[in-house]
């Protein structure tokens, strides 16, 4: 289908949506398509889908994680039992260890398997950051093609002598182009090393991987997968990522481009560093030492640079750096990074980059101010939404006074960028979704922040199509939030042309509004189809994936998040009754696990405030 025809179709959809929203905010204007329950993961959430309806999906909370019990000893099993005994009363839906003997034999109950996984992941016990213990990845790439959702295995591999994947990788398909190219970011698996004997004749096995994050792309649904080589690979292999690809096969993302001086100094230190002979080779290998520093030190290994890559079927992408927003003082050793998150068909990209508090600085001091107190009261580096255009990195924020950080997530072919910006409203720092025209001269660029669900509601725009229809999510609750009690969110659609903001939960048929609570919209294509994530009730499953039953033999249920698609449909003038709307409010208020779900979603950047690219490092 030609671009002109697609734009005409999208424009007609946009007009229909606007008219229906004006006539009745409760009218059904979207058909909801559930992308389906998977057999291997509890949660799925939408990334993006192309105009053929192929969707990229991410899955988390794997069932039946393949714990390699042969690498655990008696002290480890004692530690697991102590860990469970100390925590089972505060962990929802888990009991104390049920069968210690079966656990030691490598045949645990579902309850006990769940504790082993938590113990392996836990950083307070040290196992989650200890290279001598198995690693849990728990982020799976998935696709929905022709209504079938299935795992998309990238570089994960099976344990030697088995057909069991390690499930130690972090795999994310960012999207699928209209001509079927898959792209995203993934890691190599953690695998057990050969036995290493230290100078005290103690044997060790280290869990190591060949590389961390790598941007990837595939023209043939994964048969041949190509990497984006990082600019800097020292001391750990570097990192790279692909976040978006336009119709011409031009990709954007980011890559390591420089070693963090503190990180390299730590590794090269001859006293307690990896260059100390009492550590390497006395107690471990160099590869193990570097991995240990990455996991346990908390030091960011690399400076990161936004990249552009011209992809080709030969697997030899032409990669170039897009630059930084600021040029730091030559003696400033703090990390300075930039990220490109989206690119339009005119080759203009957007994202964000580290910057200074004072946007007018041209000759910075060595300690030029670059931190502020965010909405959670913590110090955070300033990062500003930017556009990468004609070789320049342009700040979209304008005057930095009374503002915090900002991110631009998407840009359409007309040059309209969307994202969020932190602004001071009534003395409080609030995240507000914005749109801005990147075609304006840099000194005239203006971020427009439309009204959201209520004054003070944090919101973020994740995507915009070529009809200027924007999607994202915003807070719908007003209580003072905390990490243990976050505010609930709802997905929205915003018609920029007519300044109409709509809760997407009010655009689906009344008959399913009690079933699906749409909390986030991640993407919208030029046919107006929205990729979103909803909370639904599903059969509760244990750590082995088995459906759990109550005392009467009936399946227990729980709230989970599910990837969905919203397809525009003609307005049928259906209006939900006041009783139906009230019932939905009561149902949502009574949800036992909604707070837990929000906390889980925060970890996977399903909420604006917790979007941390550092998660990928």
């Amino acid at each position: 289908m030609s671009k002109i025809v697609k734009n005409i179709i999208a424009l007609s959809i946009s007009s229909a949506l606007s008219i229906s929203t004006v006539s009745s905010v409760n009218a059904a204007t979207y058909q909801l398509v559930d992308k389906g329950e998977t057999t291997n993961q509890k949660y799925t959430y939408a990334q993006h889908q192309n105009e053929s309806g192929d969707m990229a999906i991410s899955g988390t909370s794997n069932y039946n994680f393949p714990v390699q019990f042969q690498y655990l000893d008696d002290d480890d099993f004692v530690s697991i039992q102590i860990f469970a005994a100390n925590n089972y009363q505060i962990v929802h839906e888990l009991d104390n260890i049920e069968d210690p003997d079966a656990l030691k034999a490598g045949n645990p109950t579902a309850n006990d398997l769940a504790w082993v996984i938590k113990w392996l992941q836990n950083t307070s016990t040290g196992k989650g950051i200890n290279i001598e213990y198995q690693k849990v990845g728990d982020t799976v790439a998935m696709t929905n093609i022709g209504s079938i959702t299935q795992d998309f295995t990238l570089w994960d591999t099976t344990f030697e002598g088995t057909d069991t994947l390690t499930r130690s990788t972090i795999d994310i398909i960012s999207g699928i182009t209209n001509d079927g190219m898959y792209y995203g970011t993934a890691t190599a698996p953690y695998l057990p090393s050969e036995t290493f004997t230290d100078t005290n004749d103690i044997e060790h096995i280290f869990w190591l991987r060949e590389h961390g994050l790598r941007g990837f792309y595939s023209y043939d649904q994964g048969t041949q997968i190509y990497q984006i080589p990082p600019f800097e690979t020292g001391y750990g292999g570097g990192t790279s990522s692909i976040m978006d690809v336009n119709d011409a096969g031009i990709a954007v993302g980011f890559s390591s481009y420089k070693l963090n001086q503190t990180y390299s100094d730590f590794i090269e230190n001859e006293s307690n560093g990896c260059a100390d002979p009492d550590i390497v080779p006395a107690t471990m290998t160099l590869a193990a030492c570097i991995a240990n520093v990455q996991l346990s030190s908390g030091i960011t290994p690399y400076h990161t640079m936004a990249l552009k890559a011209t992809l080709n079927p030969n697997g030899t992408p032409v990669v170039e750096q897009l630059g930084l927003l600021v040029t730091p003082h030559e003696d400033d050793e703090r990390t300075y990074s930039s990220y490109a998150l989206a690119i339009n068909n005119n080759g203009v990209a957007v994202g964000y980059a580290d910057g200074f508090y004072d946007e007018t600085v041209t000759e910075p001091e060595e300690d030029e101010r670059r931190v502020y107190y965010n909405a959670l009261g913590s110090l955070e580096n300033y990062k500003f939404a930017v556009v990468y255009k004609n070789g320049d990195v342009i700040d979209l924020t304008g005057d930095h006074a009374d503002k915090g950080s900002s991110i631009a997530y998407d840009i359409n072919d007309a040059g309209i960028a969307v994202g969020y910006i932190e602004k001071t409203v009534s003395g409080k720092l609030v995240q507000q979704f914005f749109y801005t025209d990147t075609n304006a001269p840099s000194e005239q660029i203006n971020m427009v922040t439309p009204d959201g669900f209520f004054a003070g509601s944090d919101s973020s725009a994740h995507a915009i199509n070529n009809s200027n229809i924007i999607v994202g999510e915003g807070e719908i609750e007003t209580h003072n939030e905390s990490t243990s009690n976050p505010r609930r969110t709802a997905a929205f659609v915003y018609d920029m042309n007519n300044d109409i903001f709509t809760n997407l939960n009010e655009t689906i048929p009344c008959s399913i509004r009690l079933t699906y609570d749409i909390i986030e919209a991640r993407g919208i294509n030029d046919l107006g189809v929205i990729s979103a994530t909803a909370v639904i009730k599903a059969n509760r499953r244990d750590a082995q994936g088995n459906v759990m039953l109550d005392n009467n033999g009936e399946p227990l249920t729980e709230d989970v998040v599910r990837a969905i698609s919203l397809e525009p449909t003609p307005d049928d003038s259906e209006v939900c009754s006041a009783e139906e709307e009230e019932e939905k409010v009561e149902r949502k208020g009574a949800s036992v696990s909604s707070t837990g779900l929000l906390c889980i979603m925060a970890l996977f950047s399903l909420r604006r405030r917790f979007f941390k690219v550092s998660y990928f490092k």
Side-chain angles (χ1 to χ4, degrees):
M1 185 184 297
S2 73
K3 193 72 175 180
I4 295 176
V5 172
K6 287 189 290 187
N7 286 343
I8 291 174
I9 293 174
L11 182 59
S12 65
I13 291 170
S14 169
S15 300
L17 174 62
S18 301
I19 294 172
S20 65
T21 307
V22 170
S23 62
S24 173
V25 295
N26 286 325
T29 52
Y30 286 98
Q31 174 186 354
L32 188 150
V33 180
D34 193 322
K35 291 302 181 177
E37 180 182 13
T38 68
T39 58
N40 298 322
Q41 292 83 29
K42 178 181 290 189
Y43 306 116
T44 64
Y45 57 96
Q47 296 289 356
H48 293 275
Q49 61 187 316
N50 63 19
E51 290 170 10
S52 297
D54 303 331
M55 179 183 279
I57 298 174
S58 291
T60 63
S61 294
N62 288 307
Y63 295 126
N64 213 21
F65 180 79
V67 174
Q68 302 300 290
F69 287 96
Q70 68 270 29
Y71 294 99
L72 302 179
D73 59 25
D74 289 343
D75 289 340
D76 292 327
F77 289 114
V78 171
S79 177
I80 292 168
Q81 293 181 63
I82 294 173
F83 178 71
N86 289 338
N87 292 280
Y88 79 93
Q89 291 182 325
I90 58 175
V91 175
H92 183 56
E93 299 174 343
L94 284 183
D95 297 321
N96 203 355
I97 295 296
E98 296 173 333
D99 192 335
D101 292 334
L103 175 63
K104 292 181 66 173
N107 187 33
T109 66
N111 177 82
D112 296 355
L113 174 61
W115 280 117
V116 178
I117 297 169
K118 286 183 177 295
W119 179 78
L120 286 171
Q121 292 176 304
N122 192 273
T123 56
S124 64
T125 64
K127 302 303 180 289
I129 54 176
N130 189 325
I131 59 171
E132 295 194 54
Y133 287 88
Q134 183 181 3
K135 297 293 167 262
V136 181
D138 208 29
T139 304
V140 178
M142 311 171 74
T143 59
N144 180 268
I145 311 294
S147 76
I148 297 175
T149 297
Q150 58 186 7
D151 290 2
F152 187 90
T153 302
L154 288 151
W155 295 308
D156 200 2
T157 188
T158 58
F159 288 109
E160 185 176 357
T162 77
D163 58 359
T164 302
L165 291 171
T166 72
R167 293 300 187 193
S168 62
T169 58
I170 296 174
D171 299 342
I172 299 173
I173 298 180
S174 298
I176 306 171
T177 64
N178 289 327
D179 58 2
M181 182 200 299
Y182 291 44
Y183 60 90
T185 307
T187 66
Y190 282 96
L191 293 169
S193 69
E194 294 182 355
T195 301
F196 172 84
T197 303
D198 66 23
T199 53
N200 293 318
D201 289 331
I202 299 175
E203 294 183 341
H204 303 268
I205 292 178
F206 305 114
W207 290 79
L208 307 174
R209 63 184 182 185
E210 291 184 5
H211 59 77
L213 278 190
R214 283 288 188 279
F216 73 85
Y217 62 102
S218 175
Y219 289 91
D220 51 17
Q221 299 184 356
T223 301
Q224 181 66 54
I225 299 172
Y226 299 115
Q227 291 189 22
I228 297 296
F231 302 126
E232 171 62 57
T233 59
Y235 296 147
T239 61
S240 67
S241 177
I242 291 183
M243 303 300 292
D244 193 26
V245 179
N246 68 13
D247 289 347
I250 308 298
V252 293
F254 51 87
S255 167
S256 52
Y257 75 96
K258 179 182 177 182
L259 280 167
N260 182 337
Q261 191 63 48
T262 302
Y263 172 71
S264 59
D265 286 348
F266 194 92
I267 291 175
E268 296 168 0
N269 195 331
E270 296 180 358
S271 176
N272 296 320
C274 296
D276 186 340
D278 290 334
I279 295 178
V280 178
T283 63
M284 64 181 69
T285 63
L286 177 60
C289 185
I290 292 173
N292 183 59
V293 173
Q294 288 187 323
L295 279 175
S296 62
S297 70
I299 301 173
T300 301
Y302 306 103
H303 300 243
T304 301
M305 177 80 74
L307 67 78
K308 181 171 73 172
T310 302
L311 308 181
N312 60 65
N314 299 323
T316 54
V318 179
V319 185
E320 59 186 281
Q321 298 180 358
L322 291 180
L324 299 174
L325 176 60
V326 296
T327 301
H329 188 279
E330 61 181 6
D331 296 326
D332 187 350
E333 295 183 354
R334 296 172 296 180
T335 56
Y336 285 86
S337 298
S338 62
Y339 303 85
L341 305 182
I343 184 170
N344 66 17
N345 285 319
N346 297 314
V348 180
V350 294
Y352 69 97
D354 293 335
F356 300 133
Y357 167 75
D358 185 349
E359 75 279 4
T360 66
V361 169
T362 57
E363 297 183 5
E365 301 291 335
E366 181 180 351
D367 59 350
E368 188 69 36
R369 179 181 171 188
R370 54 172 295 189
V371 298
Y372 72 106
Y373 284 98
N374 62 22
L376 298 178
S378 302
L379 277 177
E380 180 177 324
N381 287 339
Y382 275 106
K383 52 181 179 284
F384 298 108
V386 296
V387 57
Y388 303 93
K389 186 177 182 180
N390 299 326
D392 295 324
V393 184
I394 302 170
D395 189 345
L396 296 174
T397 309
D399 185 353
H400 291 177
D402 296 324
K403 296 173 184 174
S405 290
S406 59
I407 293 177
Y409 285 116
D410 199 15
I411 184 171
N412 67 10
D413 291 345
I416 306 300
V418 299
Y420 80 76
I421 182 172
E422 294 179 332
K423 298 175 64 177
T424 301
V425 178
S426 300
K428 177 185 177 183
L429 204 61
V430 177
Q431 289 184 356
Q432 295 181 319
F433 84 94
F434 75 81
Y435 67 84
T436 189
D437 185 356
T438 63
N439 297 302
S442 58
E443 66 276 6
Q444 297 178 19
I445 291 176
N446 177 44
M447 284 185 173
V448 180
T449 52
D451 293 334
F453 287 107
F454 60 88
S457 168
D458 278 1
S459 61
S460 181
H462 286 295
I464 181 172
N465 68 7
N466 283 321
S467 297
N468 292 335
I469 303 300
I470 299 169
V471 296
E473 87 285 329
E475 294 175 337
I476 57 174
E477 293 182 321
T478 60
H479 66 264
N480 293 327
E481 75 170 339
S482 64
T483 54
S484 62
N485 186 26
R487 295 174 178 176
R488 289 184 298 115
T489 64
F492 69 77
V493 58
Y494 176 72
D495 179 356
M496 192 184 106
N497 301 318
N498 297 289
D499 190 24
I500 298 175
F501 180 92
T502 307
N503 186 332
L504 277 170
N505 288 286
E506 297 175 351
T507 67
I508 60 176
C510 299
S511 59
I512 61 172
R513 293 187 190 183
L514 290 177
T515 304
Y516 293 89
D517 182 14
I518 310 170
I519 57 173
E520 184 210 47
R522 174 66 58 172
I524 181 169
N525 63 26
D526 280 344
L527 299 180
V529 180
I530 298 172
S531 303
T533 300
V535 176
I536 70 165
K537 287 288 185 184
N539 287 338
R540 179 180 160 193
R541 297 178 181 271
D542 60 29
Q544 295 172 338
N546 303 309
V547 175
M548 303 180 69
L549 308 176
D550 63 17
N551 293 333
N552 297 320
E554 296 296 324
L556 295 169
T557 61
E558 63 180 342
D559 287 343
V560 300
V561 289
R562 181 73 56 79
I564 63 170
S565 179
L566 297 172
E567 301 176 355
T569 185
D571 179 12
D572 60 5
S573 299
E574 177 189 35
V575 178
C576 297
S577 67
E579 289 78 9
E580 288 173 315
E581 291 297 325
E582 183 177 351
E583 184 179 354
K584 178 166 186 175
V585 172
E586 290 176 351
R587 173 185 176 274
K588 289 167 67 175
S591 175
V592 174
S593 56
S594 59
T595 297
L597 281 176
L598 288 173
C599 293
I600 290 171
M601 290 181 286
L603 296 176
F604 296 97
S605 69
L606 280 172
R607 305 194 68 207
R608 302 87 37 226
R609 179 168 294 168
F610 299 94
F611 181 88
K612 300 284 187 184
V613 173
S614 59
Y615 163 71
F616 294 116
K617 295 180 180 176

